[in-house]
Amino acid sequence: GNALFLEELIRGEVEGRGEAPPETVMAVLQARLMRMAPEPRRVLMAASFFGRTFWARGLWELLGEPLAEGQLEEILRQLVKDEVIEPQLDSRFPTSAEYRFRHALVADAAQALVPEAQRPPGHRRVGAWLEQMGESNDEVLARHFQLGQDLERAAQFHTRAAERLFARGDQQGATRCVEAALACGVRGEALSCLRALQSLLAVWREQVPRALELGTPVLHELELGGRLWCWLVGGLIVANGMKGQQQEA
């Protein structure tokens, strides 16, 4: 029932490979990648660090100098012709052409071929390039730095994402990002910011004792008059009022 699997089996017949096919879609895709010449395969492995969507300029930054001038463009054109990737009409980053794997599983198959030791530095470089290009999705940046084992930077972007989602009223999303940031092992001021957000989320859920327990101790550790400080002051006023503690409110 998988159209991609069927497509790859047909491709194998056309190419004259009548041997018994691998039993899974992933195995079929990886077998196809391994039959490619080294340079196109290396380009696809590098592209897989970005996810399903990637950019030519980002690839060049990730691959470095070993590719000759114009060789990357030639490889990308051939991969489009071979129906592995497809160009996008509009690029999110105007200074670089945008491409997409025709199927997300192809990106997964390519990433699975990347040696384990190369994955953290690759994700750090992709995260740095996306940040430089003005990537606005903090969760995307956090994911790359987390996979890159730069937990301090990952926590910063998880926290920023949590604040943005909270400001939009997305409690579930904000909670997810707060928990992800805490999992990075934050301390000091960064931890105080996360406790403040947890307190505010508890107020929204009417978990008054938890809101006061988390928020009261960290209020003085936040930037006086900053956005998060103002949010927390409001949250603590509401929580104390709900508990009937008028003096504290």
Side-chain angles (χ1 to χ4, degrees):
N2 190 307
L4 179 64
F5 195 23
L6 178 59
E7 181 180 332
E8 291 299 323
L9 293 179
I10 293 170
R11 191 187 306 277
E13 289 296 325
V14 171
E15 293 175 357
R17 291 179 285 103
E19 71 273 12
E23 295 182 357
T24 67
V25 182
M26 188 65 72
V28 168
L29 295 172
Q30 287 184 332
R32 183 184 179 192
L33 292 171
M34 292 305 296
R35 288 193 302 272
M36 289 181 175
E39 288 304 330
R41 182 168 64 247
R42 191 164 73 94
V43 166
L44 290 174
M45 289 164 64
S48 71
F49 278 96
F50 291 86
R52 188 173 182 184
T53 299
F54 59 95
W55 295 266
R57 187 173 163 188
L59 273 182
W60 181 262
E61 292 287 336
L62 192 57
L63 289 166
E65 294 182 358
L67 282 178
E69 188 69 30
Q71 189 179 1
L72 178 59
E73 290 75 9
E74 183 181 340
I75 290 173
L76 291 172
R77 280 195 297 269
Q78 186 59 48
L79 290 171
V80 170
K81 184 179 178 180
D82 292 341
E83 299 183 329
V84 181
I85 63 175
E86 52 193 11
Q88 303 299 290
L89 294 177
D90 297 314
S91 176
R92 189 144 53 91
F93 304 129
T95 59
S96 179
E98 181 175 313
Y99 294 85
R100 190 176 77 150
F101 284 94
R102 287 191 67 242
H103 198 289
L105 284 177
V106 180
D108 293 341
Q111 180 65 193
L113 295 177
V114 178
E116 197 73 35
Q118 295 179 15
R119 295 181 189 180
H123 279 290
R124 287 196 297 271
R125 291 177 69 180
V126 168
W129 184 82
L130 289 172
E131 184 182 11
Q132 178 187 344
M133 294 297 289
E135 172 62 64
S136 59
N137 190 325
D138 292 320
E139 288 189 79
V140 169
L141 294 170
R143 172 182 170 274
H144 282 295
F145 284 114
Q146 192 154 6
L147 290 172
Q149 298 176 3
D150 187 343
L151 298 184
E152 183 177 351
R153 299 211 69 199
Q156 291 173 0
F157 287 111
H158 279 309
T159 302
R160 211 160 77 177
E163 288 192 38
R164 288 188 181 183
L165 291 168
F166 179 80
R168 296 177 197 162
D170 184 349
Q171 297 180 48
Q172 185 175 355
T175 299
R176 179 185 67 247
C177 292
V178 166
E179 291 174 352
L182 288 170
C184 293
V186 296
R187 294 173 298 195
E189 183 181 349
L191 181 59
S192 298
C193 291
L194 292 170
R195 294 302 184 208
L197 286 167
Q198 284 184 305
S199 174
L200 290 163
L201 289 164
V203 173
W204 276 56
R205 297 178 182 128
E206 298 185 11
Q207 299 170 349
V208 175
R210 177 171 171 78
L212 294 173
E213 178 187 356
L214 291 169
T216 304
V218 300
L219 179 62
H220 71 282
E221 297 174 10
L222 302 179
E223 178 191 355
L224 183 66
R227 181 172 72 164
L228 190 54
W229 183 89
C230 292
W231 283 351
L232 186 57
V233 166
L236 291 176
I237 290 172
V238 171
N240 278 292
M242 291 172 68
K243 200 172 181 182
Q245 298 176 164
Q246 301 304 319
Q247 183 60 37
E248 286 81 354

